[in-house]
Amino acid sequence: MSKLAIYPGSFDPLTLGHMDVIERAARLFDRVVVSVGVNSSKKPLLTPEQRAQAIRASVTGLKNVEVDTFQGLLAKYAEGMGASAIVRGLRATADFEYEFQMATVNRKLSSSIETVFLMTKWEHSYLSSTIVKEIAVLGGDYSSLVPEPVARIIEKALETA
Ligand code: PNS
């Protein structure tokens, strides 16, 4: 049976740390769907469609990776997609508490889906979308922190903001 993993996140924007997790997940699972969701506690820079477009343009070389958006509960979405796993990246210890809570809630909502944590490369362990967003909004150079198509979409979004 082919194994599908959902890699959910805000991806506002997708960073090189996220790309590293996508590449690792694509080696472990038959299919990976990177799914842009809404984190109600974050103020977005890009619309979900812009984020999905940026991810699509960044994963063209990965043949078993698709991109989608979702609304509502992640566990229900993953179940509806027929996924066997939810993939999340783990950086340093700071991520653990939130991720532990999210994985536990998702297991309560859907006991058939496992959350699988993949550690990002050491060189990306400091990187977050929030940091990229802040640098971008304040006019700094973030081009070495995100895939090239993402940088172009952020630039365009900031021009029209
Ligand atoms: O990249 P993020 O911001 O950590 O991603 C968080 C996201 C979007 C995956 C999470 O907020 C989410 O799953 N939202 C959907 C609502 C939901 O299912 N909430 C219950 C689990 S926390």
Side-chain angles (χ1 to χ4, degrees), residues 57-70:
S58 305
V59 300
T60 49
L62 299 167
K63 297 302 168 213
N64 60 340
V65 176
E66 296 149 50
V67 183
D68 193 14
T69 57
F70 75 98

Side-chain angles (χ1 to χ4, degrees), residues 8-11 37-39 42 70 72-74 88 98 102 105-106:
S10 303
F11 304 114
V38 176
N39 184 336
K42 290 182 178 169
F70 75 98
L73 286 175
L74 170 61
R88 293 284 291 175
Y98 169 61
M102 204 167 121
V105 168
N106 285 332

Side-chain angles (χ1 to χ4, degrees), residues 48-141:
E49 290 68 32
Q50 285 172 320
R51 293 180 232 163
Q53 190 194 342
I55 302 167
R56 244 176 233 120
S58 305
V59 300
T60 49
L62 299 167
K63 297 302 168 213
N64 60 340
V65 176
E66 296 149 50
V67 183
D68 193 14
T69 57
F70 75 98
Q71 285 182 336
L73 286 175
L74 170 61
K76 294 294 153 207
Y77 164 75
E79 218 172 54
M81 292 286 284
S84 43
I86 289 170
V87 167
R88 293 284 291 175
L90 263 191
R91 288 166 305 182
T93 50
D95 280 338
F96 184 77
E97 207 173 319
Y98 169 61
E99 294 299 336
F100 178 81
Q101 189 180 28
M102 204 167 121
T104 309
V105 168
N106 285 332
R107 177 178 284 165
K108 270 230 168 299
L109 295 172
S110 174
S111 57
S112 63
I113 299 173
E114 285 296 333
T115 298
V116 174
F117 294 105
L118 298 179
M119 274 176 64
T120 46
K121 271 189 195 152
W122 175 248
E123 58 260 43
H124 297 140
S125 57
Y126 68 96
L127 194 50
S128 72
S129 296
T130 305
I131 283 176
V132 173
K133 233 181 310 194
E134 188 159 316
I135 297 173
V137 168
L138 297 174
D141 180 8

Side-chain angles (χ1 to χ4, degrees), residues 9 13 37 45:
L45 170 69

